[in-house]
Amino acid sequence: MRSVRTVAYELPVQLVVSHDLSVPMYATLRYEADDPYAVRAVFHPSAPDQGRTVEWFFSRDVLAQALSERTGSGDVHMWPAIDSGRDVVFIALRSPAGSALLVFPAQDVDSFLRETRSVVPPGAESSRIDLDAELAQLLAGN
């Protein structure tokens, strides 16, 4: 069994409510070496210690691309921008339950991604996946 290396960053984000109003909240970006293509974003709509969270998964490559250009498809779209004089990444999420526009500090996203690359370099993701074990789990119905 491989050891799991995890990178987790808790950072302040803004939930955009309207052109003139945004609500501060926290998000935790989490990367696990044994799921090398994915980033889990856990949003804390209220104080982080109150237990209410919303989770989304998206591609590490898409998040990295969002630092320099518009990207995404389906329910997840991201793009870089300058907001109040600072570099940010906008992340738009949509689901049947609703939609959200979030603003992430680009510097924090970049730091998070640099650390994930030290755990699993780009291009080495497939070496972290045990396809036989994944197939066996699917066939077992788990």
Side-chain angles (χ1 to χ4, degrees):
M1 184 164 118
R2 291 175 282 186
S3 66
V4 175
R5 294 244 355 242
T6 301
V7 176
Y9 271 51
E10 186 171 312
L11 52 147
V13 299
Q14 296 289 321
L15 172 64
V16 178
V17 178
S18 71
H19 181 67
D20 297 324
L21 178 64
S22 62
V23 177
M25 56 188 282
Y26 286 90
T28 302
L29 296 180
R30 187 175 186 87
Y31 178 82
E32 295 183 7
D34 286 344
D35 191 4
Y37 293 103
V39 170
R40 178 187 333 188
V42 180
F43 300 100
H44 311 280
S46 54
D49 60 347
Q50 291 184 345
R52 290 185 2 182
T53 61
V54 176
E55 285 188 359
W56 278 80
F57 289 86
F58 38 81
S59 160
R60 176 174 74 160
D61 289 345
V62 169
L63 183 60
Q65 189 176 5
L67 288 168
S68 61
E69 63 185 309
R70 182 176 285 274
T71 187
S73 64
D75 295 335
V76 179
H77 292 268
M78 303 177 192
W79 61 94
I82 296 176
D83 184 43
S84 300
R86 64 187 180 110
D87 290 334
V88 298
V89 174
F90 280 92
I91 299 180
L93 305 172
R94 186 177 50 218
S95 77
S99 62
L101 179 60
L102 300 138
V103 183
F104 282 73
Q107 183 175 359
D108 291 342
V109 171
D110 187 49
S111 295
F112 169 77
L113 289 168
R114 270 189 272 124
E115 194 167 334
T116 71
R117 291 181 195 116
S118 72
V119 173
V120 179
E125 294 93 350
S126 64
S127 69
R128 299 293 306 187
I129 297 174
D130 183 346
L131 291 178
D132 291 333
E134 295 290 331
L135 183 58
Q137 186 176 10
L138 283 172
L139 293 174
N142 294 333

